[in-house]
């Protein structure tokens, strides 16, 4: 069992930056693939960025070059640094943890944190 708690969301102007954090507890953090997903109203939840236990990363095309995912296994925390934010990045962001042999939907989810990009 893994518990995930996100923080760091908020209101930011276009072009600004935010850093999301996701603190995990309850299991061996380092063995999980950690990811950030987002879901706009009426749309499917989509992958933003993912990082494996070995540190390999992949990103959605829409955020490449702007967002960076990282993890600190000593702190059981995964981060999402978001730069050059755009209004279309506005939505709820969710942290996910799953084992490498699972699909993300079968893993664990945080409660979500709202990101709003607006002037």
């Amino acid at each position: 069992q893994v518990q995930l708690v996100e923080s760091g969301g908020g209101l930011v102007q276009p072009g600004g930056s935010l850093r999301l954090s996701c603190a995990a507890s309850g299991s061996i953090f380092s063995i999980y693939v950690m990811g950030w997903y987002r879901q706009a109203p009426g749309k499917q939840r989509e992958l933003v960025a993912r990082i494996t236990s070995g540190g390999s990363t992949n990103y959605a095309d829409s955020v490449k070059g702007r967002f960076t995912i990282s993890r600190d296994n000593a702190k059981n925390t995964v981060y999402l640094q978001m730069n050059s934010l755009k209004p279309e990045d506005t939505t709820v962001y969710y942290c996910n943890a799953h084992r490498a042999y699972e699909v993300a939907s079968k893993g664990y989810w945080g409660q979500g944190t709202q990101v709003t990009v607006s002037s």
Side-chain angles (χ1 to χ4, degrees):
Q1 197 72 337
V2 177
Q3 293 80 44
L4 303 172
V5 179
E6 301 106 331
S7 61
L11 173 64
V12 64
Q13 292 187 341
S17 298
L18 283 175
R19 188 175 82 155
L20 305 183
S21 299
C22 173
S25 61
S27 189
I28 305 173
F29 175 80
S30 61
I31 66 176
Y32 287 88
V33 177
M34 301 299 299
W36 287 97
Y37 292 73
R38 63 188 182 186
Q39 186 171 21
K43 294 188 176 182
Q44 283 192 319
R45 194 168 293 188
E46 63 175 5
L47 173 70
V48 176
R50 178 171 53 213
I51 185 167
T52 68
S53 58
S56 297
T57 59
N58 61 293
Y59 297 89
D61 287 343
S62 59
V63 307
K64 281 181 182 176
R66 300 189 297 124
F67 291 9
T68 303
I69 189 170
S70 61
R71 65 191 296 162
D72 185 337
N73 290 338
K75 296 182 178 180
N76 288 358
T77 300
V78 63
Y79 304 97
L80 185 69
Q81 178 66 44
M82 304 187 295
N83 299 328
S84 302
L85 282 160
K86 304 175 180 179
E88 52 262 44
D89 296 317
T90 296
T91 190
V92 180
Y93 286 70
Y94 297 90
C95 180
N96 172 269
H98 66 93
R99 298 296 299 273
Y101 54 78
E102 294 175 318
V103 295
S105 59
K106 298 295 186 183
Y108 301 94
W109 295 93
Q111 81 286 354
T113 186
Q114 176 71 43
V115 171
T116 302
V117 184
S118 175
S119 55

